[in-house]
Amino acid sequence: KMIKYLDIDNDSGIEAYEIGLDKISVKFRNTAKIYVYSYASAGKENIEHMKKLAQSGDGLNSFINLNVKYKYVR
């Protein structure tokens, strides 16, 4: 089940996320596609950091753009 992203600063392109054991699914605003980032596609450290950012409601969009932009599961 997708959880609404808090977006504390109200400046994110992220609408919602869902955390899995070895992955995180992200729904961006203005798109129907769900992007899944996994340990295999983006690396364990990146995924674990993304989970923390998602739960804190801040910084996830920037982190994705800077570090894992195209490393989603295709």
Side-chain angles (χ1 to χ4, degrees), residues 49-65:
H49 190 62
M50 288 166 71
K51 289 179 184 180
K52 289 188 180 100
L53 292 172
Q55 289 169 321
S56 76
D58 192 41
L60 183 56
N61 198 64
S62 299
F63 183 84
I64 289 173
N65 285 332

Side-chain angles (χ1 to χ4, degrees), residues 13-32:
I14 294 173
E15 189 176 301
Y17 67 92
E18 182 176 8
I19 289 176
L21 200 61
D22 63 347
K23 64 186 178 189
I24 183 168
S25 305
V26 179
K27 176 167 185 326
F28 294 92
R29 291 191 180 143
N30 308 317
T31 178

Side-chain angles (χ1 to χ4, degrees), residues 33-38 41-42 68-74:
K33 183 175 162 112
I34 306 285
Y35 291 84
V36 179
Y37 296 88
S38 71
S41 73
V68 297
K69 192 165 189 165
Y70 300 112
K71 294 180 180 175
Y72 51 86
V73 178
R74 288 182 166 80

